[in-house]
Amino acid sequence: MGVGPKWRISGPPPVPPAYTLLAAARIVDDADAAGVLRWEAGAEVYGYPPVTASVWSPCATGTLRVKASGQAPGPAVFEAFGVYVTDQCWSGGVWGPGVSDPQARFLERARAVLAAVEAAAVERELLTGETTANPALADGGGTFPAGDTPTHVVEAFSLLEGVLAASGRAGMIHCSPQLATVAAGHQLLRPDGPVLRTIVGTVVVPGAGYAPTYGSPQARPVGHAAPGAGQEWVFASGPVEVRRSELLIVPERVEQALDRDNNTLVYRAERFYLVDWDRAVQAAVLVDRCKSTPC
């Protein structure tokens, strides 16, 4: 039989999902010589030429001997955005029995929660651009190889692989965890360390931020059909790169977060992100998860 007040414990720690965008993207650390993250003010991205390789013959005459002049890609502006979580608790929950350093517990809780959920927020912003108006997967640009016709998941992946193949370069496919589960049932995916790949090696991101159930219905590409029951859009893009700051705790100390009138603590863990992607590839296909045959 126990005596005294109930022991306070934190419970199971939040765990980040597997195969997120942050696991698949190229993480860039390019602070300047003074350690300043200049990209926090936004960035003007000059992408590589969105062209495929051409062939010419030095022994030919006429037009076959003429090389194309190419094209200069225009810049795209990407704004930085903040990702944060807020925690509010009774002050006794931090200064509970057995806690010798409440500041350390404060930081531990904030870091654990943000690490678990930040990828979904970044995926949501890449999909919609709703906070920054950055170029986004669902901004209506790119190609729609099946138009607005719902397709079988096998056909959808095949069409997106075809778009990537036409670009002559590797890219990524972005879908919800629900759709990835269906795709795996058709043997379309294979694990490769921290990422999922298709049979031809394309990275697939089954992001919680792409799911219809993350906060609101899945964003449809601008100007295209809204998904019906059992339907969702799956997207292809060029490679994605991510810049992110160190974790910030606001306020810095526990006592600064204390509301003495209500005896509660309100604090936030946050960090800044800049996410840009190679827009040489942008495509989307509407999938019907319940469709019985590929074609």
Side-chain angles (χ1 to χ4, degrees):
M1 180 175 181
V3 295
K6 289 182 173 59
W7 197 255
R8 296 190 186 98
I9 59 176
S10 294
V15 178
Y19 307 127
T20 66
L21 178 66
L22 299 184
R26 175 175 175 256
I27 305 298
V28 180
D29 181 7
D30 58 357
D32 67 13
V36 177
L37 303 178
R38 295 189 178 275
W39 55 260
E40 289 185 345
E44 202 171 52
V45 178
Y46 283 81
Y48 290 88
V51 298
T52 56
S54 301
V55 177
W56 71 293
S57 171
C59 299
T61 59
T63 57
L64 294 179
R65 192 178 176 88
V66 178
K67 297 177 184 177
S69 58
Q71 55 183 296
V77 175
F78 288 85
E79 301 294 344
F81 57 91
V83 175
Y84 73 95
V85 294
T86 302
D87 191 11
Q88 180 180 138
C89 64
W90 174 52
S91 61
V94 174
W95 279 279
V99 178
S100 60
D101 186 352
Q103 179 71 14
R105 183 172 182 179
F106 173 50
L107 295 175
E108 176 190 355
R109 285 170 55 90
R111 290 180 187 278
V113 176
L114 187 61
V117 301
E118 63 184 326
V122 174
E123 291 156 358
R124 179 76 182 182
E125 186 62 26
L126 175 64
L127 175 66
T128 65
E130 59 193 1
T131 302
T132 59
N134 285 340
L137 300 178
D139 64 11
T143 61
F144 296 83
D148 285 6
T149 302
T151 69
H152 190 277
V153 63
V154 174
E155 177 67 4
F157 273 66
S158 175
L159 290 170
L160 294 178
E161 291 281 25
V163 172
L164 290 167
S167 75
R169 64 190 77 194
M172 305 171 76
I173 292 175
H174 308 260
C175 67
S176 74
Q178 297 97 307
L179 187 60
T181 301
V182 177
H186 291 279
Q187 300 182 329
L188 298 180
L189 306 180
R190 59 181 175 86
D192 180 19
V195 301
L196 289 178
R197 294 186 185 274
T198 67
I199 193 64
V200 298
T202 299
V203 171
V204 177
V205 180
Y210 306 140
T213 54
Y214 183 71
S216 61
Q218 186 200 36
R220 60 178 171 177
V222 174
H224 290 267
Q231 299 176 356
E232 61 184 89
W233 287 91
V234 57
F235 301 84
S237 76
V240 177
E241 63 180 14
V242 171
R243 291 166 172 81
R244 62 180 176 180
S245 69
E246 293 296 321
L247 180 71
L248 304 173
I249 302 296
V250 182
E252 294 182 352
R253 296 196 58 79
V254 176
E255 58 267 24
Q256 295 172 320
L258 179 63
D259 181 342
R260 290 176 172 79
D261 292 333
N262 299 310
N263 203 30
T264 58
L265 291 161
V266 177
Y267 53 89
R268 294 174 178 85
E270 60 186 56
R271 71 165 102 229
F272 289 99
Y273 275 90
L274 181 75
V275 179
D276 66 277
W277 51 287
D278 182 355
R279 296 184 302 140
V281 174
Q282 182 178 0
V285 176
L286 182 60
V287 177
D288 186 340
R289 297 195 301 269
C290 302
K291 195 174 179 67
S292 58
T293 57
C295 296

